[in-house]
Amino acid sequence: MMKKLAAIAGYTASAFLALVVLAAFWGLAEQTKELSWGAFNDPYLWRVLRFSLWQALLSALLACAGGILVARAWFYLQPKSLNWQLRLANLCFVCPVILVVLGCVGSFGLNGFWQHLSPFSWKIYGLPGILIAHTFLNMPLIARYCYLQYQAIPASYWRQGKQLGFSQFSYWRLIEWPMLCSRLAGLFGLVFLLCFGSFTIVLALGGGPQSTTLEVAIYQALRYDFDPLFALQCALLQLLIATSLGWLLLGREQQDSIRHQQSLTSIHQHSTLSLTWHRLIITSYYLFISSVVLGMFSPLLALSWQALPWQQWIESSLWSLNIALQSVVWVLTLGSALLWQYSSNLSQNKGAKRHKGQELLASVMLLAPAMVITTGLFFLLLSRTDISRYTVPLVALINALMSLPFYMRSLKPALNDSVKQYAKLNQSLDLPALSQVRFIYWPLMRKPLSVAISLCMVLSLGDMGVIALIGSVEVTTLPLLLFQQLSSYQYALASATGLIMLLLCGVIFYLLDISLGRDNAEHI
């Protein structure tokens, strides 16, 4: 009976996801009546496409190169605070993007402290600013995954290298690089895909038409020029490229997985020069990270504490929380149904193949970027109803679809371990389903569940792309308010808004951690 219910829940969630995707494509297809192949012969469109690919390629190369250097330094130095440093890497990735933009402007911009310290000046707007912001978000993520890959290198490899008298270069060429490159291709593709679909950073730091990506071109065509045909051309091109890359990436993720093995980390001695080099890398890495973080809040020194827009902050905070909570409800409903069916299939040893289709649907926002889905739904609703009436539910739903892949990936490892460890025990004791959930799965899953929900809420709370495209004047979230303040050069107010947003994210993590993520041992 429970297996049938799990299958019904899983297939219902999958059908809903498919329906949303089909509705978005239907909205796009309705516009193709005016679309012709000749419409793609637009020099501006191809220039936008070239820049989208170019900035994504450079961003992915910088993130991967920097991430490998940092991971190598972590592995060889093994600092005592390594666990905290790995957590910080996660925080950089989930940091609200608009806050990163503020940090880049505050530290590397015209009035940033690096400009004052440097003998020459430069422009933050354009490709340099986009690369800096993308590197801040993605390099720590690459470093973390590469470090885990270093840990997966068997200790026997290091012993053989020592016996054969390997140099540092031989260790890198014969041991480290072959292990890293098996994982690095997937990570490079992921970062390329994220940067290719980057919206907020390019919108805020692009600096003009010469630095526009497809997502920003869609936004400008709909919001400023009201040119649905050009928006549709951009959406179709982005869909084609992102779907192709996303499909390859998902296929690769099926093959590669991080192996959590213990490895011998100090089997060979390091030269003083080598240790100095690794320390220099770590110092440069934290100098860069701390520069962006300081840039987020340094404008607060110029803030006038009189006549602050408290009413505006309260309203924006409530709108952000409202959308984030609705988004989490969607994620919990869809994600839990999919995971329920996944665990049911896994306990019957038929999980992987049957769940592949649902996983692809859950990762729809990796295959079809949010701006494409949003554009399709925008066209669909625009001709049928007053879209402003559905702004909040629509933004919440799309934010939920964006968070769903991260929710699934946060919970699946713990769910896999729980099912494999206790499936036979459940069968032998014939425990009722509710007892299984209460005494076995809930104590084991509550910690990763709190992290997954926190992650989804923070991602939704910090998103600006969807609300900027289809939002109305009445609905101003904190990221949108911060962007408006940045656009009007109110850096001090923008910094204060960013501080409020960061405090909200911290409160969300804290409350969910003390309520859901308590020590498992207390509840077993």
Side-chain angles (χ1 to χ4, degrees), residues 43-56:
Y44 178 67
L45 176 65
W46 292 106
R47 194 177 69 185
V48 169
L49 176 61
R50 280 197 300 274
F51 182 78
S52 303
L53 294 170
W54 178 239
Q55 62 86 21

Side-chain angles (χ1 to χ4, degrees), residues 317-430:
S317 301
L318 291 176
W319 278 121
S320 295
L321 287 173
N322 183 9
I323 291 173
L325 286 172
Q326 289 191 42
S327 176
V328 164
V329 171
W330 278 112
V331 170
L332 283 174
T333 306
L334 296 171
S336 300
L338 292 171
L339 288 174
W340 188 14
Q341 187 188 22
Y342 173 76
S343 65
S344 175
N345 289 338
L346 195 65
S347 63
Q348 302 172 64
N349 296 321
K350 51 186 179 183
K353 291 183 179 178
R354 291 196 175 193
H355 197 68
K356 186 176 179 180
Q358 281 118 341
E359 186 169 357
L360 290 176
L361 276 174
S363 304
V364 62
M365 285 303 181
L366 290 179
L367 295 174
M371 201 57 70
V372 175
I373 298 293
T374 309
T375 306
L377 294 177
F378 177 83
F379 282 138
L380 187 73
L381 294 176
L382 188 64
S383 57
R384 291 170 173 81
T385 184
D386 180 10
I387 196 170
S388 61
R389 295 169 56 191
Y390 303 99
T391 297
V392 173
L394 192 58
V395 171
L397 174 61
I398 297 173
N399 282 345
L401 295 182
M402 292 166 63
S403 305
L404 193 56
F406 300 101
Y407 177 83
M408 300 281 288
R409 283 166 173 75
S410 299
L411 289 179
K412 278 182 73 174
L415 190 61
N416 276 331
D417 292 342
S418 304
V419 172
K420 289 176 181 175
Q421 192 173 357
Y422 293 102
K424 292 183 179 177
L425 179 66
N426 289 335
Q427 289 176 0
S428 61
L429 296 179
D430 195 21

